[in-house]
Amino acid sequence: MVEQAKLSDPNAEYTMRDLSAETMDITNPRGGVRDAEITDVQTTMVDGNYPWILVRVYTDAGVVGTGEAYWGGGDTAIIERMKPFLVGENPLDIDRLYEHLVQKMSGEGSVSGKVISAISGIEIALHDVAGKLLDVPAYQLVGGKYRDEVRVYCDLHTEDEANPQACAEEGVRVVEELGYDAIKFDLDVPSGHEKDRANRHLRNPEIDHKVEIVEAVTEAVGDRADVAFDCHWSFTGGSAKRLASELEDYDVWWLEDPVPPENHDVQKLVTQSTTTPIAVGENVYRKFGQRTLLEPQAVDIIAPDLPRVGGMRETRKIADLADMYYIPVAMHNVSSPIGTMASAQVAAAIPNSLALEYHSYQLGWWEDLVEEDDLIQNGRMEIPEKPGLGLTLDLDAVGEHMVEGETLFDEE
C-alpha cells in the first residue's frame, strides 16, 4: 500500500507561503492546555446511506477531536497525505492551519474538489479539539449564538418517486408523524416522457409531470410545512426557466440546482427570470467560488455543504458574504451526526440561517453513531452547551457500521 504521507511534492516542500508554526516563528508559550500539539490524524469510513468519512485529530493533551469530510472515495488518502503538515502544530490555530493545508496542497488541487473536502474534515475536527481544550461549544468559536436550536428540513423519498400521490402521502406522513415543518423532494425523476436525457432539455410533458408533483405535495401539506424541490443540476438554462415559470403559482420554498454548477452566468439568468426562489451552492467550493454566485445575485438562497465547501469557518465567511446581499443560508447536508452537528453549530452562529438539511430519516441507526440521543426533535436540532461539537462517538457503533475492509481509528 502506498504511504501517502511520504509522497514527495516540490511545491509543498518549497512553497513561498509555508504557514507552519516553525516558518512563521510562532514560539511564544500560551499556557496550560493552550500549548497542545497535534500528534496524529486518522480516518474511518462508515457505510451509511452515504459512505461517511469520519476524521479524528489527536493531541498530546489527551484531547481528541472528531470531524467529517464530505462522503466518497479519495479523501482518506488525501488526509493521510496531509498528516505531516499537521503533526506538531497547535490545534487552536484553526484558521492558519486551514490556510497552511490549502497552500501545501496547492499543487495537488486545493482550489476545489476532494482536497477541500478533506481539509474540511480536518477543520471540523480542529473545532472540536479547540472547543474541548478551551471548554466552550464550537458555536462560540465562530461568533456566538443567534439561536438555541436550528430549523431542520427533511429530504424525503418514496419507493415511487415519480408518483405525485406517493410523494404527497409521504410528505403528509413526515409532517404529521415526525413533526417536520420543512421538507424537500427530488424533481429530477423520470416522467416517462423523456426522449433523450443526455441533452438536458425538458419537453412540455416532462414539465407538466414535475408540476403535478409540486401541486400534489404543496396542496397536501398546505401551510403546515415549507416544501423545496431538488433538480440536481439536470436541465438546460431554457428548460430551467420554463420549469421555474410554471411553478410560480405554487407555494415552492425553493427550486434547487436547476442547471449544471459550472456556468454561473447561466445560473444568474435562470434566477433572475422567475419569482420562484432558486437555491444553489452545494457543488461550489470555498468563499471564492460562492462569491461568484452571491455578488451578481445569481441565487435567492445559498446552500453550501459545510464538510465539502471548506469547513466551519469557511462556511461562516460565506454566510457573512451572503448577508451583505441579504441572502439566506440553507445548508446542504447529507452527513452523519458529526457533520450535521458541525453545520448546526455554524447555523446557530449566523444571522441568516434559514434551515439545515437532514437526509437520513429512513436510516434507523443514524443517531446510534453517537452517545447522545434525540438530536433532532420536531424538525429542530438543539445546540448542546458541551465543549466542542458536543457529541461523543460510540466507537462500537462506528465499528459495526464501517465499510468493508475499513479499520477503526484509535480511541485516544
Side-chain angles (χ1 to χ4, degrees):
M1 181 178 294
V2 174
E3 294 187 54
Q4 301 288 337
K6 294 183 178 180
L7 292 178
S8 63
D9 178 2
N11 184 76
E13 293 171 6
Y14 302 115
T15 177
M16 294 299 292
R17 196 164 179 261
D18 186 315
L19 301 178
S20 66
E22 179 181 8
T23 302
M24 299 297 293
D25 196 28
I26 301 173
T27 59
N28 287 350
R30 309 183 193 193
V33 295
R34 293 174 61 228
D35 285 314
E37 293 186 1
I38 296 171
T39 58
D40 198 6
V41 182
Q42 299 180 17
T43 61
T44 293
M45 189 180 291
V46 174
D47 192 16
N49 53 323
Y50 292 85
W52 296 317
I53 302 168
L54 302 181
V55 184
R56 302 201 97 183
V57 171
Y58 300 79
T59 70
D60 62 359
V63 174
V64 179
T66 304
E68 181 172 353
Y70 193 76
W71 64 272
D75 295 65
T76 56
I78 296 170
I79 291 169
E80 178 70 17
R81 171 83 177 93
M82 293 188 289
K83 185 191 303 185
F85 309 144
L86 292 166
V87 171
E89 293 284 351
N90 190 316
L92 296 178
D93 293 342
I94 300 172
D95 202 67
R96 178 177 62 81
L97 293 180
Y98 172 83
E99 293 293 338
H100 180 48
L101 294 178
V102 168
Q103 291 299 316
K104 282 290 191 180
M105 298 296 290
S106 59
E108 298 176 54
S110 59
V111 173
S112 63
K114 285 294 185 178
V115 172
I116 292 301
S117 63
I119 293 174
S120 301
I122 293 170
E123 195 262 11
I124 295 168
L126 290 174
H127 276 88
D128 195 32
V129 168
K132 292 174 180 176
L133 288 172
L134 300 176
D135 196 29
V136 295
Y139 72 78
Q140 207 72 62
L141 302 174
V142 290
K145 187 188 285 187
Y146 275 90
R147 50 192 67 86
D148 286 330
E149 59 183 19
V150 171
R151 190 184 187 193
V152 175
Y153 75 87
C154 192
D155 188 291
L156 305 187
H157 297 273
T158 74
E159 292 183 358
D160 187 4
E161 296 192 279
N163 185 319
Q165 186 59 34
C167 293
E169 291 173 359
E170 180 66 352
V172 169
R173 185 189 75 81
V174 169
V175 169
E176 293 181 348
E177 297 181 12
L178 303 184
Y180 286 92
D181 63 2
I183 57 178
K184 184 172 78 176
F185 282 92
D186 291 344
L187 209 53
D188 57 324
V189 294
S191 66
H193 300 290
E194 293 82 9
K195 297 296 184 182
D196 184 348
R197 298 190 70 186
N199 62 30
R200 298 194 178 99
H201 175 72
L202 286 174
R203 302 173 62 240
N204 286 339
E206 295 175 74
I207 290 180
D208 292 342
H209 173 255
K210 298 181 191 313
V211 171
E212 289 173 8
I213 293 175
V214 171
E215 181 177 39
V217 174
T218 56
E219 290 188 356
V221 302
D223 60 4
R224 293 176 294 175
D226 292 317
V227 188
F229 296 89
D230 196 344
C231 300
H232 294 106
W233 325 283
S234 296
F235 310 129
T236 66
S239 292
K241 290 178 187 178
R242 288 163 48 230
L243 174 61
S245 176
E246 290 296 320
L247 298 182
E248 288 178 353
D249 292 336
Y250 300 95
D251 189 10
V252 174
W253 199 17
W254 71 71
L255 186 67
E256 185 171 328
D257 291 324
V259 296
E262 297 89 354
N263 190 328
H264 294 173
D265 293 333
V266 174
Q267 180 62 64
K268 176 182 176 180
L269 292 174
V270 171
T271 299
Q272 297 187 353
S273 74
T274 181
T275 59
T276 299
I278 304 295
V280 175
E282 71 177 87
N283 222 5
V284 180
Y285 292 84
R286 304 182 67 200
K287 60 182 182 286
F288 303 102
Q290 303 280 338
R291 178 183 67 83
T292 62
L293 288 170
L294 293 166
E295 285 189 349
Q297 300 178 65
V299 296
D300 297 303
I301 299 165
I302 198 73
D305 190 299
L306 187 149
R308 186 182 204 176
V309 75
M312 297 177 69
R313 288 181 61 81
E314 192 77 354
T315 300
R316 168 79 215 213
K317 294 172 184 178
I318 292 165
D320 288 341
L321 179 58
D323 202 37
M324 292 175 63
Y325 297 92
Y326 316 123
I327 292 174
V329 178
M331 283 187 233
H332 180 266
N333 172 62
V334 294
S335 298
S336 81
I338 299 299
T340 302
M341 180 58 76
S343 298
Q345 294 271 351
V346 173
I350 59 175
N352 49 339
S353 176
L354 185 61
L356 167 66
E357 184 173 10
Y358 173 55
H359 208 286
S360 301
Y361 80 111
Q362 294 173 320
L363 185 69
W365 51 266
W366 181 82
E367 197 172 82
D368 295 347
L369 294 176
V370 295
E371 295 180 3
E372 291 74 18
D373 298 321
D374 300 328
L375 298 184
I376 301 174
Q377 291 292 303
N378 295 315
R380 298 296 185 274
M381 192 167 197
E382 186 171 352
I383 307 303
E385 294 299 329
K386 295 192 295 184
L389 296 181
L391 298 180
T392 304
L393 274 185
D394 185 323
L395 293 183
D396 290 336
V398 173
E400 179 182 351
H401 295 291
M402 292 186 299
V403 300
E404 184 177 356
E406 183 62 287
T407 57
L408 185 63
F409 36 41
D410 296 338
E411 183 171 358
E412 295 181 357

